Amino acid sequence: MLKEFYIPTYIFVPESPVEHVSQIPTCPVIVFINTKSGGQLGRDLIVTYRKLLNHAQVFDLLDETPDNVLHKLYSNLERLKHIGDTLASEIYKRLRLIVAGGDGTAGWLLGVVSDLKLVHPPPVATVPLGTGNNLPFSFGWGKRNPGTDQDSVISFLQSVREAREMNIDSWHIVMRMESPKGSPCDPIAPPDLPHSLHAFRRVPKTDPQDTEYSYTYRGGFWNYFSMGMDAQVSYAFHSERKLHPEKFKNQLSNQKTYLKLACTQGWFCASLFHPMSRNIACLAKVKIMKKSGKWETLEIPQSIRSIVCLNLPSFSGGLNPWGTPSKRKQRKRDLVMPPLVDDGLLEIVGFKDAWHGLVLLSPKGHGTRLAQAHRVRFEFLRGATDHAYMRMDGEPWKQPLPTDDGKVVVEISHAGQVKMLATKDCIAKGIHESWPAISSVHPESSSSDDTDDDFEEERRNFGAALSFRYTGDVNKQ
């Protein structure tokens, strides 16, 4: 049975001759494992996969990045197809990817696949090895760490073979920081950047009298972008895990630590420990675009301390912040569609505090539904605070903000789709599945008629793949 997933070594070796293979795999897979995820489980899992499959098709992300692996693989597949290798042609059409790690690891791989722009992009299955595991849970792969023994891995491989392909929206994010020279607002330190966000070198300004400088970052996400207290708690958790990795080897204890940090960071006790400047409305002006070319200001209640731009129906370990609004509430709030993962729209939800978040545990619980939008722009208010906390698909960072005349703008826009693998337990819904009446609706184009659009250059790629990545010193102009 394992021959159905097996890929011979020569497929991965540049300039290798064609080899005769007696059986063509029906479901060839490449496995990427983040051995830092899941405590010791990542290391155990990679040992099992390498015993069952060809060592050459199982990669430790600490040793090799998916950028290098997939660039090399597809270059070799094209060469082998050109000289008439039938196996290479079949692998190109049938290949499926498995990624084991947290949501950030899965997003890293999805960004690489998106930037490759393949005619037949491989669909991705996710193994839940992280703390939140929102991506795996959305598509039916569960949210608890899987078994690492041979029977468990074989069972997972069988599920990959039987899984169906499903399109989901990709979302591009561009962040620009502009400040006068000598401003105390520094760029994000490269070690603190999440995998899905990259520094991007713009064309240098030619005017020597120009007194301003800018730092630009770009990237992508598939599940959510959030800002506020939830991201602050996540940042505290990740910082603690970096300092003391030996304390984070069990998923249950990790979740208890997360809850403890939520208490100490003021997520439960906002009025006692944190000023009103932590409220989203005091931090930024939020604009949304429902139809191409028409920006609207989104009114944010003063009580909202966390805002989530959501694509999938899973957040913070399997909770659904949007819920299922009734048709009456949809009409009242001008919500145009049910929450779908391939409709070109993000659901924007707000939370007051962690107590508000606890309502998600009830059957019909939800956050404060604010809007559905095709594009979102955050314009941070001058002097509100010197930093804000942000998070994309489980990866948080501390975002510096200028305290003088500088500005920070974050813009999110639709950027096509990727293919995921979904099991029978999938909770994500697509346009063509449960709502036939809207099956004729298609996502809007990511292009815009907005004449004030100065983000077009940065929006070309996610920046995840090596060829689009700026690896130089971000302080250089």
Side-chain angles (χ1 to χ4, degrees):
M1 186 274 295
L2 291 172
K3 291 182 180 179
E4 297 181 27
F5 308 99
Y6 189 88
I7 300 177
T9 303
Y10 85 93
I11 293 292
F12 299 91
V13 180
E15 305 305 321
S16 60
V18 175
E19 295 181 8
H20 175 71
V21 178
S22 60
Q23 180 177 337
I24 294 178
T26 58
C27 182
V29 296
I30 293 179
V31 185
F32 295 97
I33 298 176
N34 185 346
T35 51
K36 285 172 59 179
S37 297
Q40 298 296 326
L41 292 182
R43 295 186 182 90
D44 296 340
L45 198 61
I46 201 167
V47 170
T48 305
Y49 268 103
R50 284 175 170 170
K51 284 182 179 178
L52 295 174
L53 302 174
N54 186 352
H55 191 286
Q57 70 189 99
V58 182
F59 297 91
D60 184 344
L61 289 174
L62 297 186
D63 299 330
E64 294 194 72
T65 66
D67 316 59
N68 288 328
V69 171
L70 293 181
H71 273 96
K72 189 186 300 182
L73 170 69
Y74 277 98
S75 295
N76 205 39
L77 284 176
E78 288 295 337
R79 180 186 65 83
L80 292 169
K81 284 166 55 182
H82 183 71
I83 60 177
D85 186 2
T86 304
L87 177 62
S89 298
E90 292 302 318
I91 287 177
Y92 183 88
K93 290 187 289 186
R94 302 180 187 185
L95 183 65
R96 296 188 164 193
L97 305 182
I98 297 172
V99 57
D103 288 332
T105 304
W108 184 16
L109 179 62
L110 289 173
V112 172
V113 173
S114 296
D115 280 345
L116 287 173
K117 293 179 171 55
L118 299 166
V119 177
H120 297 287
V124 178
T126 50
V127 182
L129 282 188
T131 303
N133 298 318
N134 295 294
L135 271 165
F137 181 66
S138 296
F139 296 98
W141 301 103
K143 55 184 176 180
R144 294 187 177 181
N145 294 157
T148 59
D149 59 282
Q150 292 195 17
D151 289 342
S152 298
V153 169
I154 290 173
S155 176
F156 188 89
L157 286 170
Q158 289 173 331
S159 297
V160 169
R161 181 186 57 191
E162 297 164 2
R164 60 187 172 90
E165 294 185 15
M166 187 173 183
N167 288 329
I168 69 166
D169 290 323
S170 300
W171 296 93
H172 200 289
I173 184 168
V174 176
M175 178 170 64
R176 184 176 298 160
M177 303 164 58
E178 296 183 356
S179 291
K181 289 182 178 179
S183 167
C185 180
D186 296 321
I188 310 169
D192 293 335
L193 281 173
H195 281 123
S196 50
L197 192 66
H198 303 277
F200 170 62
R201 174 176 284 178
R202 304 194 69 220
V203 177
K205 298 179 180 179
T206 55
D207 186 356
Q209 302 301 317
D210 202 332
T211 59
E212 290 193 351
Y213 65 92
S214 68
Y215 298 107
T216 303
Y217 300 84
R218 68 182 183 190
F221 67 93
W222 291 266
N223 189 5
Y224 66 87
F225 167 85
S226 70
M227 181 179 72
M229 276 303 304
D230 75 290
Q232 179 173 336
V233 174
S234 179
Y235 182 81
F237 175 84
H238 280 256
S239 299
E240 186 72 14
R241 185 165 59 178
K242 278 185 180 179
L243 289 173
H244 306 287
E246 71 281 356
K247 297 180 180 179
F248 294 82
K249 294 184 177 180
N250 179 275
Q251 190 179 43
L252 183 60
S253 64
N254 289 357
Q255 291 167 344
K256 289 180 179 178
T257 302
Y258 203 97
L259 182 61
K260 179 181 176 182
L261 287 170
C263 296
T264 59
Q265 292 290 316
W267 195 206
F268 282 95
C269 310
S271 60
L272 294 178
F273 298 108
H274 293 281
M276 286 296 289
S277 63
R278 299 296 186 188
N279 292 5
I280 299 301
C282 296
L283 279 176
K285 180 188 293 184
V286 184
K287 294 182 178 181
I288 61 171
M289 184 184 289
K290 294 182 180 179
K291 293 184 179 180
S292 184
K294 296 180 180 180
W295 286 104
E296 307 171 21
T297 298
L298 180 63
E299 297 298 327
I300 306 293
Q302 289 290 326
S303 58
I304 297 299
R305 300 174 67 230
S306 182
I307 189 168
V308 183
C309 301
L310 190 71
N311 186 41
L312 302 182
S314 181
F315 178 75
S316 290
L319 304 176
N320 185 355
W322 187 258
T324 308
S326 65
K327 291 184 178 179
R328 180 182 61 82
K329 287 185 177 180
Q330 282 184 223
R331 287 192 298 268
K332 183 179 178 181
R333 293 286 188 93
D334 192 25
L335 307 176
V336 295
M337 296 177 71
L340 307 176
V341 300
D342 57 352
D343 60 356
L345 294 172
L346 286 168
E347 281 66 48
I348 305 175
V349 192
F351 289 96
K352 301 173 184 178
D353 50 33
W355 300 113
H356 187 193
L358 290 177
V359 303
L360 298 180
L361 298 174
S362 63
K364 294 186 179 181
H366 59 85
T368 301
R369 301 184 187 107
L370 298 173
Q372 289 175 304
H374 182 60
R375 289 171 71 173
V376 187
R377 178 178 285 189
F378 296 90
E379 299 174 357
F380 287 86
L381 303 177
R382 185 181 306 161
T385 183
D386 60 355
H387 64 269
Y389 293 92
M390 303 180 187
R391 182 165 60 144
M392 287 198 303
D393 286 356
E395 291 196 290
W397 74 95
K398 185 178 180 179
Q399 173 60 46
L401 298 176
T403 55
D404 44 33
D405 291 335
K407 66 178 181 178
V408 172
V409 178
V410 175
E411 185 176 308
I412 300 168
S413 58
H414 187 257
Q417 295 182 330
V418 293
K419 292 182 181 292
M420 299 294 294
L421 288 171
T423 75
K424 64 182 186 326
D425 299 318
C426 173
I427 62 170
K429 302 295 183 183
I431 286 175
H432 299 285
E433 293 176 85
S434 298
W435 291 275
I438 58 173
S439 61
S440 60
V441 178
H442 296 283
E444 296 182 61
S445 168
S446 59
S447 62
S448 170
D449 297 329
D450 182 18
T451 56
D452 190 33
D453 184 4
D454 56 354
F455 286 83
E456 196 59 39
E457 181 185 2
E458 293 92 334
R459 201 180 288 116
R460 291 176 186 168
N461 297 290
F462 282 92
L466 191 62
S467 57
F468 304 115
R469 199 167 176 177
Y470 168 41
T471 56
D473 183 358
V474 295
N475 289 300
K476 293 180 181 178
Q477 281 291 312

